[in-house]
């Protein structure tokens, strides 16, 4: 919710890496120069990096991967 700074994104990445219990998807603007790969598929969180507007299809795909524990693949790339 709201606009994030690059530092705020890294705080959330660290939160997930520290052992967050709930699964969560963070949507982050590409302007913050953060890669989706910083959170691997084994963690309970994921990043969705978008350029100008978010894609509902891409969000749905990432949520499905997060819930199922499926690894990221070509289907996870934004159209």
């Amino acid at each position: 919710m709201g606009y994030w700074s690059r530092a705020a994104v890294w705080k959330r990445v660290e939160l997930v890496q520290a052992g967050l219990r709930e699964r969560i998807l963070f949507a982050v603007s590409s302007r913050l120069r953060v890669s989706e790969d910083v959170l691997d598929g084994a963690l309970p969180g994921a990043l969705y990096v978008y350029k100008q507007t978010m894609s509902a299809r891409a969000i749905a795909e990432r949520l499905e991967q997060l819930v199922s524990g499926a690894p990221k693949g070509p289907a996870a790339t934004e159209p």
Side-chain angles (χ1 to χ4, degrees):
M1 299 176 91
Y3 294 98
W4 289 9
S5 67
R6 186 171 161 86
V9 173
W10 286 110
K11 284 181 184 178
R12 276 129 182 114
V13 166
E14 291 168 358
L15 178 70
V16 171
Q17 291 172 333
L20 189 66
R21 285 199 265 159
E22 301 298 324
R23 293 183 178 120
I24 190 163
L25 176 67
F26 296 111
V28 180
S29 169
S30 63
R31 294 180 195 146
L32 297 177
R33 301 178 326 255
V34 178
S35 170
E36 292 182 358
D37 295 332
V38 297
L39 291 175
D40 65 21
L43 294 170
L47 289 177
Y48 165 53
V49 179
Y50 63 94
K51 292 193 182 199
Q52 293 181 338
T53 58
M54 290 187 249
S55 163
R57 179 179 298 149
I59 292 170
E61 288 171 358
R62 283 162 180 79
L63 287 173
E64 181 61 34
Q65 291 169 352
L66 191 59
V67 170
S68 70
K72 297 177 190 175
T77 58
E78 187 167 346

